[in-house]
Amino acid sequence: MDLPEGYSVKGEYAGNGRLVCKLHKSLYGLKQASRQWNAKFSEAILKYGFQQSGSDHSLFTKKTNDENFIALLVYVDDILLGSTSIQESNEVKEFLDSLFKLKDLGTIKYFLGLEIAKSPESISICQRKYTLDLLEENGLLGAKPVLSQFMDKPGKEHLTAAHRVLKYLKGSSGQRILMKSKSTLKISGYADSDWAGCPDTRKSVTGFCIFIGDSLVSWKSKKQSVVARSSAEAEYRSMASVCCEMIWIKSLLKDFGVKHCEAMNLYSDSQSAIHISKNPVFHERTKHIEVDCHFIREKILTGLIKRRHTSTNLQIADILTKALQPNQFYRLLSKMNIHNVHPAGSATSSDSDKV
């Protein structure tokens, strides 16, 4: 690297073009800067008495002798602080302000693209501002279409699909997830899958929803990494995915001081997948998914997971794996406690369309 203008080297290193400068302080913009900031912040907050979560390293918790609880969540340089004591929160802020340049934004209303509204009865979360910003960027009140699966050779049909997504967002920008304050802390999950839904690769899609009580806390829709040879296999792989997520959520609740001693309910509408989890004998139709079989069966035998059958009409994760008729689509949205508080017209063009 070149020395800054005005600096010169004397002695035996003079004239040597291969010089290295040692940085005593991480510079903003370097790829190591964010890692150094995280290491410095973590060291400081741990010295203050916080404990770092093993489930999520960006979460720090502290419990004082008088039973006050503090949770601190950090994302790069954005920090979210929650506590059962206002005094404890103020002390943490003062400590951080003494070490770093801190700006207190007050009670949370907007965090990482999420709008958060609180009341004594519930907390609701939405991304209305983020969605409207996307819509405004593109003349449709929408964002520039990005088709992550078809970036190589996007065609007209892909653009049409992207425009339909934007038109749906136009009518659903006010949708909020409602989390009620008076609810049980029982964890339950819904796992579903289509079979060979991708016309190009014939891979299936895993979809799952996980609830704590009546509150939706985790969901996913993702193409499976391998081709399933049967619908039962595709369903079983989705059950394995939701099991992992439910176990992680239980571990995260433990960091918040919440004990979850009951078995977690896992709902599936596939009788075949449920029978596989019950059958201790492997045969040629299931031996290629042996790892998933052992994983789920172990959690069932230890009492951690309890498998449940649900009808297809009540399978909430169905909304994440396939196209549905509008009535069923909005019925499942309601079961997920998703409500549109700012309706802006219909999301469908006709009653016969699928969402």
Side-chain angles (χ1 to χ4, degrees), residues 120-251:
E121 293 78 24
S122 63
I123 295 176
S124 64
I125 301 174
C126 80
Q127 290 186 298
R128 185 169 187 262
K129 182 180 182 301
Y130 174 75
T131 302
L132 293 177
D133 289 343
L134 288 178
L135 294 169
E136 188 177 6
E137 287 178 9
N138 192 7
L140 291 172
L141 284 177
K144 179 181 178 182
V146 177
L147 308 155
S148 59
Q149 296 186 46
F150 305 99
M151 291 301 291
D152 184 22
K153 295 179 181 179
K156 185 177 179 180
E157 65 276 14
H158 303 127
L159 183 62
T160 301
H163 282 172
R164 182 167 183 84
V165 172
L166 295 177
K167 291 176 182 178
Y168 172 76
L169 290 177
K170 184 178 180 181
S172 60
S173 62
Q175 283 186 345
R176 290 177 177 266
I177 298 176
L178 186 66
M179 299 181 177
K180 300 179 181 178
S181 59
K182 295 181 180 180
S183 178
T184 66
L185 296 177
K186 186 175 179 62
I187 300 174
S188 58
Y190 292 80
D192 190 39
S193 174
D194 70 348
W195 180 42
C198 178
D200 299 320
T201 63
R202 286 306 175 187
K203 292 181 179 179
S204 307
V205 173
T206 286
F208 66 72
C209 301
I210 299 177
F211 294 79
I212 297 180
D214 298 326
S215 302
L216 178 65
V217 296
S218 181
W219 59 93
K220 178 180 283 189
S221 178
K222 184 178 181 181
K223 189 182 294 184
Q224 295 180 359
S225 58
V226 297
V227 178
R229 297 171 60 186
S230 66
S231 60
E233 178 185 341
E235 295 278 2
Y236 204 83
R237 292 189 187 279
S238 68
M239 289 173 64
S241 297
V242 75
C243 277
C244 294
E245 186 74 2
M246 291 167 70
I247 292 170
W248 177 80
I249 290 176
K250 181 177 181 179
S251 175

Side-chain angles (χ1 to χ4, degrees), residues 59-61 69-72 251-259:
L59 175 66
F60 299 84
T61 59
F69 180 79
I70 313 172
L72 185 149
S251 175
L252 194 63
L253 285 178
K254 186 178 180 181
D255 292 327
F256 282 99
V258 178
K259 294 182 179 180

Side-chain angles (χ1 to χ4, degrees), residues 4 7 14 19 26 64 95 105 107 114 130 167 169-170 217 231 300 303 309 319 339 355:
Y7 286 82
L19 295 176
S26 183
T64 59
F95 169 74
L105 299 179
T107 304
L114 296 175
Y130 174 75
K167 291 176 182 178
L169 290 177
K170 184 178 180 181
V217 296
S231 60
I300 292 174
H309 179 263
I319 199 172
H339 307 280
V355 179

